[in-house]
Amino acid sequence: MPKGNRFNDLCKELRDNILDSLNITDLSLFASASPIFHVNVDEYLYRRRLITFARYMNDVKRFIGLLQSSSSVVSGSSALNIIQARQGAVEINDLDVYTTLPNFEELVHFFKHSEGYKIMGNFHRPPPGRYNNTGIAKLLRLQKDERKVDIIVTNLASAVAPIFQFHNTAIMNFISAEAIFCAYPVWTLNMAGLIHPRMYKQNATNLATISGLAKYMKRGFNLCSDINELSPHVSRCIKTYNCPHTIRSTNDKGKIAWVFGNAGPHHSSSHSAAYIETGAVIWCLGGDQCENEEAAGAPSFVFAT
């Protein structure tokens, strides 16, 4: 009997309990074992995304359609929650939607007129705080009852780009219409992360970013400013995908991404699940040189191709 059939012979509650104990890397490995497992994982993650979005809206399918048509993404605690094993995942606080200047009005219209949200704040070039990234042009805060949605508008070419300026690598994740993406899975899924060097090299530290770092440390994340505390750098820099001086891409093999409806298990191993889009986002965390703290450091940058 094929091993996938044995899994499907289990009751739904038991199948869900098994999948709930796996993070996105484990789920990808599980899916690679058979086409039936792949279908199960795809349906499971699709269902988790629907449940996450349904906390904030009634018309989830229309919202996913808007994400696709506007190339917008959801990040923050919602994205971190879905890449973790559901058992023990971080609590979702609110919905953070990242979009671009040409597309934000359609999203605002959806939440105001279709979902009944009210705009509680409309900031141009947000003041120093949670969204003080250089690529943020506008922030709209919406609320309905206890539900809160932030629409963060970038003046960069890609809605994804500002995510790689976040204060630590543990939150460099996003959900799009097509995929779930994690930039630093080796650290993030082991409750660890590197504090972005721009926090202290480019004067990006303020009370809000310190509070944000403290929030994730309180949640159990081990956040470090020194790469040596997270990766072995004994006598020379080891240029892995985790090294802050490595130039990264949303299409490289250092990330993990689950692409919904992908053809089969050969696409879904823990490091090869493709996230292919028309224009990739390129970034480098930068900071001091690993092997010699007195040497000139590498710059931090992000841009969309």
Side-chain angles (χ1 to χ4, degrees):
M1 179 184 294
K3 51 191 170 184
N5 289 343
R6 294 173 185 169
F7 180 75
N8 282 346
D9 285 343
L10 300 173
C11 68
K12 184 180 182 301
E13 182 179 5
L14 187 54
R15 293 200 308 269
D16 285 347
N17 283 340
I18 293 171
L19 297 178
D20 283 347
S21 68
L22 305 177
N23 62 42
I24 192 169
T25 297
D26 298 330
L27 287 167
S28 295
L29 286 170
F30 180 76
S32 68
S34 82
I36 295 175
F37 288 172
H38 186 275
V39 170
N40 276 279
V41 171
D42 196 60
E43 292 176 348
Y44 169 78
L45 286 172
Y46 189 85
R47 193 164 61 248
R48 275 191 69 178
R49 184 178 65 170
L50 289 178
I51 292 169
T52 297
F53 290 170
R55 295 164 61 112
Y56 298 95
M57 65 201 72
N58 296 316
D59 196 344
V60 174
K61 290 188 177 180
R62 185 181 170 196
F63 176 66
I64 293 174
L66 285 173
L67 291 181
Q68 185 169 34
S69 63
S70 63
S71 297
S72 302
V73 298
V74 170
S75 192
S77 58
S78 297
L80 179 57
N81 174 281
I82 203 170
I83 68 167
Q84 294 180 310
R86 189 172 186 178
Q87 297 172 1
V90 299
E91 182 180 353
I92 298 174
N93 293 326
D94 48 28
L95 192 72
D96 296 337
V97 185
Y98 284 75
T99 190
T100 55
L101 279 169
N103 296 310
F104 80 92
E105 290 180 344
E106 192 173 8
L107 284 162
V108 174
H109 185 275
F110 168 75
F111 281 104
K112 280 185 62 181
H113 300 289
S114 298
E115 297 294 335
Y117 279 77
K118 294 182 179 179
I119 295 179
M120 309 303 291
N122 187 346
F123 308 97
H124 295 266
R125 291 187 178 180
R130 182 179 173 190
Y131 302 112
N132 69 335
N133 295 349
T134 56
I136 301 301
K138 181 190 286 281
L139 165 64
L140 294 102
R141 288 206 156 119
L142 299 94
Q143 186 168 347
K144 182 173 75 171
D145 300 325
E146 299 301 315
R147 290 171 284 184
K148 298 178 182 179
V149 174
D150 283 354
I151 298 177
I152 304 99
V153 186
T154 178
N155 51 22
L156 300 174
S158 170
V160 173
I163 291 170
F164 304 111
Q165 296 178 319
F166 283 172
H167 53 63
N168 81 84
T169 59
I171 48 175
M172 294 182 183
N173 321 293
F174 63 83
I175 308 168
S176 71
E178 300 83 12
I180 299 168
F181 179 97
C182 174
Y184 293 91
V186 174
W187 288 341
T188 304
L189 299 176
N190 284 288
M191 300 295 288
L194 183 71
I195 297 172
H196 201 310
R198 72 183 291 269
M199 292 297 105
Y200 50 88
K201 298 294 288 187
Q202 298 177 13
N203 298 320
T205 303
N206 54 60
L207 185 59
T209 56
I210 292 173
S211 175
L213 290 169
K215 177 176 69 175
Y216 282 91
M217 293 176 76
K218 188 176 180 180
R219 288 173 168 173
F221 280 87
N222 176 31
L223 301 180
C224 306
S225 58
D226 186 351
I227 183 66
N228 291 289
E229 297 181 50
L230 294 170
S231 297
H233 282 58
V234 182
S235 59
R236 60 184 179 86
C237 178
I238 302 171
K239 286 291 171 47
T240 66
Y241 286 110
N242 288 335
C243 177
H245 303 117
T246 298
I247 296 175
R248 294 289 311 276
S249 162
T250 47
N251 284 333
D252 68 29
K253 293 183 179 180
K255 55 83 169 85
I256 180 71
W258 181 269
V259 183
F260 292 108
N262 216 333
H266 59 284
H267 289 296
S268 58
S269 69
S270 61
H271 295 288
S272 65
Y275 182 72
I276 305 299
E277 54 181 6
T278 304
V281 174
I282 312 295
W283 79 93
C284 180
L285 298 178
D288 292 328
Q289 292 295 340
C290 303
E291 57 184 311
N292 184 352
E293 293 184 0
E294 297 180 359
S300 168
F301 64 81
V302 59
F303 63 89
T305 59

